[in-house]
Amino acid sequence: MNATERTDVLVVGSGFGGAITAYHLAAGGAKVTVLERGPWLDGDDFEHDYKLGSSYTRVFDFTVGDGMSVLGGNCVGGGSVVYFASMPRAPRFVFERHGSIGRRMWPAAISRDTLDPWYDRVAEALPVHRQEWSDVTYAGGLWAAACHHAGRTANPLPVAIDTDKCVNCNWMMAGCRFDAKRSLLFSYLPAALAHGAEIRPLHEVQSIARTDDGGYRVHYDVMDDEDYRLRREGGSIDARIVVLAAGAGATPVILQRSEAALGTMPHAVGRYFSGNGERLNTAVLDEDRVAEVLGLTRGGGLAYAANHIGRGPTVANWDRLDGSLPEYSRYSLEQLYFPPGLGTILAQAAGVTDGPTWFGVHKKEMLRRWNSWLTIFTMSEDDNEGVFGPPPPTGNATRISQQMLGHGALRYVPTENTLHGWAASDAEVKDILERDGLARVMPWTNDVVGAYTVHPLASCRMGDDPATSALDDRNELRGHPGIFVTDGSAVPGALTVNPAMTIAAVAERSVPAIVAAARRRGVRVTYGAPAPDGSTSGRRAVLPLLSP
């Protein structure tokens, strides 16, 4: 397609930041076009298979950087299709963090109190509910019992899952073929389509330029649907407003590549990346001790043997989410099922003194007991130490394989503050699970792909200080009116909990400002649509905030 098209609003990416803005703008009457790099799959397309070319490799983007690797979504619906649907709200202290800059990172206009009404909108739209103990999986129940045994507390997680449809197959990370996970494929995206939005899969945005009339021209390539290293003829689309929501690993790369045409980018574009302080530990449980110490059984003489049963995280320990504690000592510990692949490669064998810990004889013995594994996921406070180098010629990374794997320009060297948080959480997991011989525990190694995150944040973050933030408090890119960023890269720093709910709430909050900017640019659009299913309680909660 060679001719330049026109639209009112061009949205890049269809995850939480893209889908939410696309829905509201389309519902308000704007012509909205969404460009998504990945394929468009639904329940019937999701395969229970890890083979190359299956839905599992098609819907993920795994980018290996220098010291940090990022796992993200690559499909219509973005991260909502591949996430574990855990939807806690960020603790109050998160919004007061100073991090590495010596001042409040979040804009003064945003606090837990001011964001709560927007959280309410998301909870209504998906919807989100708090699980009961009867919903908790075997793995979650064991983690709760171990926490109780060690004098800690445990909490069922709030989730966006229809538990009546869930069959506990534990394949939800690769997309849910039973339509139990409430991804954006069931809410904002179909609602956007119903209001006339157009979604184009396999369209990868490369750069943005200005047009003579004050708008923007977005250039894209069309991706091959099987081999993401191959590109077909692309094109360009002119828009009055551009919403970037390609993810924290791709949005800054697009802006870096666009600098020659757009002009100087804010200093914070591609800097202050946060991996959400993430860390993983694997415990190999002693089945006999589980029965003796915790008194657990699931019948048939088994105490646990349930690594492969469930649906991802169901129980978290939040004892360290205490605002009175010093920064970099606060974290959550969440029971998690991580599927074969990275989980089996990066897990280290405990008690090894005569060789490598992540492969070899000891690791082979550890793998033999795979069904007795329990994975604990830490989300802590890091120092926003990630920096993106020069962008590759196309895309967010240099593609290494047909699907999924690429090498990116992100460099991450953890500071002493970040290392302190990891060490403290490792020690806490060890104390809980090794007590009375329940298990042997070791963190995943950082020797293979560096640190790693499934929740990249802050690479184009919002804030009040132009020196340390790329966006103002309305999500608009500094110095480039009409360009907004609404994905995880806008979140200023680590959240100590799963970030999807906060990313979505920040995106909801951004829409009135985007609507106002679009109107100033001649787009006939209004704000005020209900939740995608027509509910209005969340809408009523935010309307007073929009009054002059």
Side-chain angles (χ1 to χ4, degrees):
M1 196 177 296
N2 293 314
T4 299
E5 302 175 73
R6 292 185 179 275
T7 191
D8 292 332
V9 180
L10 192 287
V11 180
V12 183
S14 58
F16 286 104
I20 288 171
T21 51
Y23 162 63
H24 284 293
L25 290 158
K31 181 181 180 182
V32 176
T33 305
V34 180
L35 301 185
E36 165 58 51
R37 177 182 62 184
W40 196 335
L41 308 179
D42 58 26
D44 292 337
D45 299 314
F46 296 128
E47 302 164 82
H48 289 182
D49 198 325
Y50 296 116
K51 293 179 180 178
L52 179 65
S54 70
S55 61
Y56 186 77
T57 60
R58 294 176 67 196
V59 300
F60 278 110
D61 181 52
F62 185 68
T63 303
V64 179
D66 179 6
M68 172 65 75
S69 294
V70 178
L71 182 66
N74 180 58
C75 56
V76 173
S80 79
V81 173
V82 300
Y83 78 150
F84 280 124
S86 300
M87 299 292 279
R89 304 184 185 201
R92 187 173 298 274
F93 67 78
V94 159
F95 301 96
E96 308 303 323
R97 287 193 62 213
H98 284 204
S100 61
I101 62 174
R103 57 163 294 165
R104 194 178 190 269
M105 290 192 293
W106 283 81
I110 301 181
S111 66
R112 172 60 189 267
D113 288 337
T114 62
L115 200 58
D116 262 335
W118 306 100
Y119 277 132
D120 291 343
R121 291 210 70 172
V122 179
E124 180 181 54
L126 291 180
V128 176
H129 72 278
R130 177 74 173 268
Q131 295 178 106
E132 303 296 332
W133 283 109
S134 58
D135 298 319
V136 166
T137 62
Y138 290 122
L142 188 141
W143 174 234
C147 287
H148 178 73
H149 176 70
R152 274 76 162 188
T153 66
N155 308 272
L157 282 162
V159 294
I161 297 173
D162 184 338
T163 52
D164 291 334
K165 290 184 178 180
C166 181
V167 300
N168 284 323
C169 68
N170 233 341
W171 282 87
M172 68 182 299
M173 189 173 175
C176 180
R177 66 184 306 163
F178 303 103
D179 295 343
K181 181 164 58 175
R182 309 311 297 171
S183 74
L184 299 170
L185 298 174
F186 298 97
S187 51
Y188 290 98
L189 289 175
L193 289 170
H195 286 282
E198 182 183 6
I199 301 173
R200 300 183 187 178
L202 298 169
H203 281 57
E204 182 179 68
V205 169
Q206 303 301 330
S207 63
I208 307 169
R210 298 187 190 278
T211 57
D212 293 338
D213 62 358
Y216 294 97
R217 178 163 296 167
V218 177
H219 300 277
Y220 64 85
D221 291 341
V222 177
M223 310 297 290
D224 186 83
D225 61 354
E226 291 187 0
D227 189 339
Y228 298 156
R229 296 169 297 185
L230 305 178
R231 299 168 185 276
R232 302 170 185 168
E233 185 178 9
S236 58
I237 300 178
D238 286 357
R240 308 303 300 173
I241 295 288
V242 175
V243 177
L244 284 171
T251 288
V253 180
I254 294 171
L255 290 175
Q256 286 176 320
R257 192 181 292 117
S258 304
E259 190 166 26
L262 288 178
T264 303
M265 285 292 128
H267 174 77
V269 169
R271 292 181 172 86
Y272 302 109
F273 174 92
S274 167
N276 203 32
E278 292 176 2
R279 182 83 162 159
L280 284 144
N281 274 259
T282 297
V284 181
L285 297 162
D286 183 319
E287 298 279 347
D288 292 336
R289 295 301 291 160
V290 168
E292 293 168 12
V293 175
L294 301 181
L296 297 183
T297 178
R298 64 182 186 90
L302 297 174
Y304 175 62
N307 177 61
H308 56 300
I309 301 171
R311 57 174 179 274
T314 56
V315 173
N317 169 272
W318 291 328
D319 291 346
R320 298 292 298 186
L321 298 186
D322 180 347
S324 67
L325 295 173
E327 199 168 354
Y328 306 106
S329 67
R330 300 172 294 205
Y331 49 82
S332 61
L333 303 173
E334 192 171 275
Q335 153 270 327
L336 175 67
Y337 170 75
F338 212 96
L342 284 178
T344 50
I345 294 170
L346 302 181
Q348 300 184 88
V352 178
T353 60
D354 58 347
T357 56
W358 63 274
F359 70 94
V361 174
H362 300 285
K363 180 64 173 290
K364 184 176 181 180
E365 172 60 22
M366 180 183 177
L367 289 169
R368 189 181 64 82
R369 300 175 57 194
W370 67 273
N371 60 348
S372 293
W373 288 15
L374 179 68
T375 304
I376 303 301
F377 185 41
T378 294
M379 288 163 280
S380 61
E381 296 167 306
D382 66 4
D383 242 347
N384 290 80
E385 47 264 84
V387 178
F388 284 82
T394 58
N396 67 306
T398 301
R399 291 284 178 181
I400 296 172
S401 64
Q402 177 178 326
Q403 295 172 8
M404 193 172 180
L405 184 61
H407 183 268
L410 174 62
R411 185 171 186 268
Y412 188 90
V413 180
T415 66
E416 288 300 316
N417 286 330
T418 299
L419 293 171
H420 170 78
W422 289 349
S425 64
D426 287 349
E428 182 82 351
V429 175
K430 194 176 186 71
D431 183 59
I432 293 170
L433 287 172
E434 290 195 347
R435 188 174 292 241
D436 294 323
L438 282 176
R440 298 296 300 276
V441 180
M442 281 286 284
W444 286 16
T445 182
N446 285 9
D447 294 341
V448 182
V449 294
Y452 28 78
T453 182
V454 295
H455 297 140
L457 302 169
S459 52
C460 292
R461 67 184 184 179
M462 62 196 315
D464 290 331
D465 180 5
T468 58
S469 60
L471 315 175
D472 62 20
D473 65 0
R474 300 168 303 130
N475 291 75
E476 194 166 24
L477 184 66
R478 297 184 184 280
H480 301 274
I483 298 179
F484 291 81
V485 176
T486 59
D487 56 23
S489 59
V491 173
L495 299 174
T496 68
V497 295
N498 313 77
M501 189 70 169
T502 300
I503 294 170
V506 169
E508 279 277 6
R509 181 186 176 276
S510 74
V511 176
I514 299 174
V515 168
R519 289 171 65 88
R520 288 194 297 271
R521 288 168 167 263
V523 179
R524 299 181 63 181
V525 60
T526 60
Y527 175 75
D533 68 352
S535 302
T536 58
S537 60
R539 176 188 177 192
R540 288 195 299 271
V542 300
L543 285 178
L545 301 177
L546 305 177
S547 301

